[in-house]
Amino acid sequence: MLDKDDLGPADETLLDLLHEGRITAPYAAEKTGYNIQYIRDRLSRLVEHNIVTKIYEGLYELENDPRE
């Protein structure tokens, strides 16, 4: 699992958004200014490490914040 030292700036920003509620990649890209493909890649990485859950096609929610 990733720990807080493994998180990059985009990961931190995504986790902050996820604390507010569920997100989609287009929403996160719009809110953060990051490229949508980069956001999808980061979300996939967070899913691989059980930090984020993909609850429906394109919809993500926070499962376990490694910063806490």
Side-chain angles (χ1 to χ4, degrees):
M1 183 190 292
L2 295 175
D3 63 29
K4 65 182 179 178
D5 295 328
D6 297 323
L7 300 173
D11 300 325
E12 297 268 355
T13 303
L14 288 171
L15 291 174
D16 290 342
L17 281 176
L18 285 158
H19 271 282
E20 297 173 13
R22 295 174 176 167
I23 64 169
T24 63
Y27 173 80
E30 181 180 311
K31 289 293 186 181
T32 64
Y34 287 106
N35 175 285
I36 191 166
Q37 187 56 54
Y38 183 66
I39 292 293
R40 285 184 176 127
D41 292 344
R42 296 316 306 156
L43 285 168
S44 292
R45 179 93 167 130
L46 295 173
V47 167
E48 287 174 11
H49 290 278
N50 300 315
I51 295 169
V52 171
T53 301
K54 187 174 185 178
I55 60 169
Y56 189 74
E57 189 62 38
L59 185 62
Y60 299 86
E61 73 179 0
L62 185 62
E63 182 176 324
N64 178 13
D65 191 336
R67 302 176 298 177
E68 297 175 346

